[in-house]
Amino acid sequence: MKKLQLLSVAAMLLFSVNINADTVNPNLNLFNPDVRKCLIEASESEGWKLEAVYTDTQDKLVMVFGKGTETKTYINK
């Protein structure tokens, strides 16, 4: 049952997140471990690899994904 819920959340993330190069999406709560896990899994299924995770000067969580020469940046809401 948990796998089904995880797949549904991942599918919702794929449809709700516009995955373009250099996208900054402040609508995600990256401090939620389920959101981070789904974002990583959804990105990996599209060929993106997690390159960096850090907190910025405003204590917002930042995740950077790369694919070749392109990058995507997600910042916590």
Side-chain angles (χ1 to χ4, degrees), residues 27-45:
N27 296 324
L28 296 175
N29 180 6
L30 297 179
F31 286 109
N32 182 331
D34 292 331
V35 171
R36 286 193 311 266
K37 182 178 179 181
C38 288
L39 179 60
I40 291 169
E41 289 177 355
S43 295
E44 285 178 349
S45 72

Side-chain angles (χ1 to χ4, degrees), residues 3-75:
K3 287 183 182 181
L4 181 59
Q5 289 174 333
L6 180 63
L7 285 174
S8 354
V9 170
M12 287 188 306
L13 276 176
L14 279 175
F15 291 117
S16 66
V17 175
N18 185 7
I19 301 179
N20 291 325
D22 296 324
T23 298
V24 176
N25 190 339
N27 296 324
L28 296 175
N29 180 6
L30 297 179
F31 286 109
N32 182 331
D34 292 331
V35 171
R36 286 193 311 266
K37 182 178 179 181
C38 288
L39 179 60
I40 291 169
E41 289 177 355
S43 295
E44 285 178 349
S45 72
E46 295 290 323
W48 293 89
K49 296 192 187 236
L50 181 62
E51 293 182 346
V53 177
Y54 61 92
T55 55
D56 65 6
T57 57
Q58 299 172 344
D59 288 330
K60 291 186 177 184
L61 188 61
V62 179
M63 297 179 78
V64 180
F65 291 87
K67 181 179 181 183
T69 59
E70 297 179 277
T71 61
K72 294 187 297 184
T73 305
Y74 293 93
I75 300 174

